[in-house]
């Protein structure tokens, strides 16, 4: 907090004192539903203030100022708190040591939001710190997915879970990995600003066959019934790997015939039917049919189906023979 330079000495002293009302707490912290969370917190007050009857504190939810009547999360003087926090909160820190660390147990998604601390040093020396810790309560783990998954390119998927409940540490497992080629797993513990996250990274090389397959991440707390899962479906991009068309055939002049083409790729390709250098029909789809009505000898020749989806292309041809009516005589 920047102090303004004031001309009046008394105001300057007051300004300098106010600059000593400081607090440290994480701006963001997370936990899983039904578990607990410890919000680390330490505070300072002007050095000229001498607490007479000890230091007291209040934790508020949503707003820092009592005149706005925010829900009381914890109050050191009494046990009167908001209904949604009864029996859930406890101060882990010693306020006389300027430690305001708060524990919230049996956390629900309704407890997500901003938490503010107010210090009561005695008399008129009360201060609501404007800084806050924003709690995010998760009902499933986070999975870090790349923007694009491409066949035959190494893929890393990371599952994260918060580890901010001092009572127990979660563990992470990947599910449905038996069908993956040579999966590898790596664990990491990340601590920053006294908040912690654990992760499990799955590495493998996807193939076209893995498109649409399910993968799961499970987070569980040992010796408890707390289990959290998240499932994802793999969207594996791959170039056309097969183009199916009618077999070469013979038709009678003046009759009709339908040429079919089916392309296996992801995403769906642009399918083109070509007759020589001439494009007869195209569409973005996995299947397309080319109708030929009242065929003549000019329709005889090689027809080629081309599938191109931006990741590669493939084509297959057939020969259409046209039998003249005179040949029947």
């Amino acid at each position: 907090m920047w102090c303004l330079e004031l001309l009046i000495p008394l105001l300057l002293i007051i300004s300098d004192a106010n600059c000593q009302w400081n607090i440290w707490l994480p701006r963001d912290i997370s936990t899983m539903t039904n578990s607990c969370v410890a919000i680390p917190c330490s505070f300072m007050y002007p050095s000229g203030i001498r607490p007479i009857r000890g230091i007291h504190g209040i934790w508020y939810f949503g707003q820092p100022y009592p005149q706005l009547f925010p829900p009381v999360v914890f109050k050191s003087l009494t046990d009167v708190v908001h209904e949604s926090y009864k029996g859930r909160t406890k101060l882990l820190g010693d306020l006389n040591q300027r430690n305001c660390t708060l524990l919230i147990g049996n956390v629900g998604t309704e407890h997500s939001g901003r938490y503010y601390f107010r210090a009561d040093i005695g008399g008129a020396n009360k201060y609501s710190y404007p800084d806050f810790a924003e709690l995010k309560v998760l009902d499933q783990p986070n999975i870090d997915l790349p923007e694009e998954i491409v066949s035959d390119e190494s893929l890393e998927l990371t599952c994260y879970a918060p580890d901010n409940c001092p009572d127990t540490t979660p563990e992470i497992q990947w599910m449905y990995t038996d069908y993956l080629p040579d999966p590898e797993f790596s664990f990491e513990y990340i601590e920053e600003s006294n908040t912690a996250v654990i992760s499990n990274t799955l590495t493998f090389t996807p193939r076209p066959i893995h498109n649409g397959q399910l993968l799961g991440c499970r987070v569980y707390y040992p010796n408890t019934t707390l289990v959290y899962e998240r499932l994802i479906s793999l969207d594996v991009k791959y170039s056309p790997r097969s183009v199916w068309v009618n077999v070469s055939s013979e038709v009678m002049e003046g009759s009709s015939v339908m040429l079919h083409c089916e392309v296996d790729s992801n995403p769906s390709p642009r399918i083109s039917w070509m007759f020589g250098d001439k494009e007869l029909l195209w569409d973005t789809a996995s299947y397309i049919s080319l109708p030929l009505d009242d065929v003549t000898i000019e329709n005889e020749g090689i027809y080629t189906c081309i599938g191109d989806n931006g990741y590669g292309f493939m084509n297959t041809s057939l020969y259409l023979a046209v039998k003249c009516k005179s040949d029947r005589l």
Side-chain angles (χ1 to χ4, degrees):
M1 183 185 299
W2 291 99
C3 299
L4 299 177
E5 295 182 1
L6 303 177
L7 297 177
I8 303 175
L10 178 60
L11 294 181
L12 180 59
I13 294 173
I14 294 175
S15 178
D16 288 339
N18 285 338
C19 284
Q20 297 178 43
W21 290 101
N22 293 318
I23 193 169
W24 182 93
L25 69 175
R27 175 54 63 94
D28 297 293
I29 191 169
S30 59
T31 191
M32 306 301 295
T33 55
N34 302 317
S35 65
C36 74
V37 61
I39 302 177
C41 172
S42 60
F43 64 100
M44 295 179 62
Y45 54 86
S47 57
I49 298 177
R50 293 291 180 265
I52 300 175
R53 297 182 178 85
I55 301 174
H56 299 285
I58 304 176
W59 277 93
Y60 289 122
F61 177 79
Q63 292 285 349
Y65 307 113
Q67 60 269 29
L68 299 177
F69 303 103
V72 175
V73 176
F74 173 85
K75 193 171 185 178
S76 61
L77 281 173
T78 70
D79 59 357
V80 178
V81 298
H82 189 271
E83 182 70 26
S84 63
Y85 292 97
K86 283 186 177 181
R88 299 176 187 262
T89 57
K90 181 173 67 174
L91 200 68
L92 296 182
D94 182 350
L95 294 178
N96 293 310
Q97 299 297 320
R98 305 181 186 184
N99 186 332
C100 44
T101 300
L102 176 72
L103 177 69
I104 308 176
N106 194 20
V107 181
T109 54
E110 69 274 13
H111 299 123
S112 292
R114 296 179 176 181
Y115 288 79
Y116 297 84
F117 180 71
R118 177 177 173 85
D120 181 354
I121 314 300
N125 298 307
K126 302 176 182 178
Y127 187 78
S128 290
Y129 296 93
D131 292 336
F132 58 85
E134 180 147 9
L135 173 63
K136 297 178 182 177
V137 182
L138 310 176
D139 57 7
Q140 61 180 0
N142 290 321
I143 297 180
D144 188 10
L145 286 168
E147 292 184 2
E148 188 176 64
I149 301 175
V150 181
S151 176
D152 302 313
E153 294 184 6
S154 181
L155 172 64
E156 287 189 355
L157 301 176
T158 303
C159 180
Y160 297 93
D163 183 23
N164 297 307
C165 178
D167 294 342
T168 183
T169 296
E171 296 185 12
I172 301 178
Q173 293 178 340
W174 281 98
M175 303 181 295
Y176 312 126
T177 60
D178 292 343
Y179 61 85
L180 299 180
D182 302 320
E184 297 180 358
F185 306 93
S186 60
F187 299 86
E188 186 175 8
Y189 182 85
I190 305 169
E191 186 172 358
E192 183 177 347
S193 302
N194 280 1
T195 66
V197 173
I198 60 173
S199 69
N200 185 342
T201 298
L202 166 64
T203 304
F204 68 101
T205 301
R207 309 296 186 203
I209 194 175
H210 300 126
N211 183 47
Q213 296 275 10
L214 288 179
L215 277 178
C217 173
R218 175 185 289 128
V219 174
Y220 67 96
Y221 289 80
N223 304 317
T224 74
T225 59
L226 299 178
V227 179
Y228 311 87
E229 294 181 352
R230 182 177 176 185
L231 295 178
I232 60 172
S233 177
L234 295 179
D235 182 17
V236 181
K237 310 297 185 184
Y238 58 92
S239 63
R241 59 174 181 166
S242 67
V243 178
W244 175 89
V245 298
N246 311 56
V247 295
S248 298
S249 60
E250 182 179 80
V251 297
M252 186 64 65
E253 185 181 16
S255 63
S256 298
V257 67
M258 187 77 72
L259 305 184
H260 303 288
C261 178
E262 183 175 357
V263 179
D264 178 12
S265 72
N266 184 39
S268 296
R270 182 186 189 277
I271 302 179
S272 302
W273 268 112
M274 306 290 295
F275 183 56
D277 296 331
K278 183 180 179 181
E279 186 177 60
L280 303 179
L281 181 68
W282 74 270
D283 193 8
T284 300
S286 59
Y287 184 89
I288 188 174
S289 296
L290 173 66
L292 298 176
D293 299 320
D294 194 19
V295 297
T296 68
I297 192 64
E298 294 179 353
N299 296 121
E300 184 171 287
I302 297 175
Y303 291 80
T304 301
C305 178
I306 303 174
D308 187 345
N309 70 345
Y311 292 88
F313 69 93
M314 180 178 283
N315 64 76
T316 300
S317 300
L318 64 86
Y319 187 83
L320 181 67
V322 179
K323 188 176 181 180
C324 298
K325 291 183 179 181
S326 58
D327 294 341
R328 301 174 60 184
L329 298 178

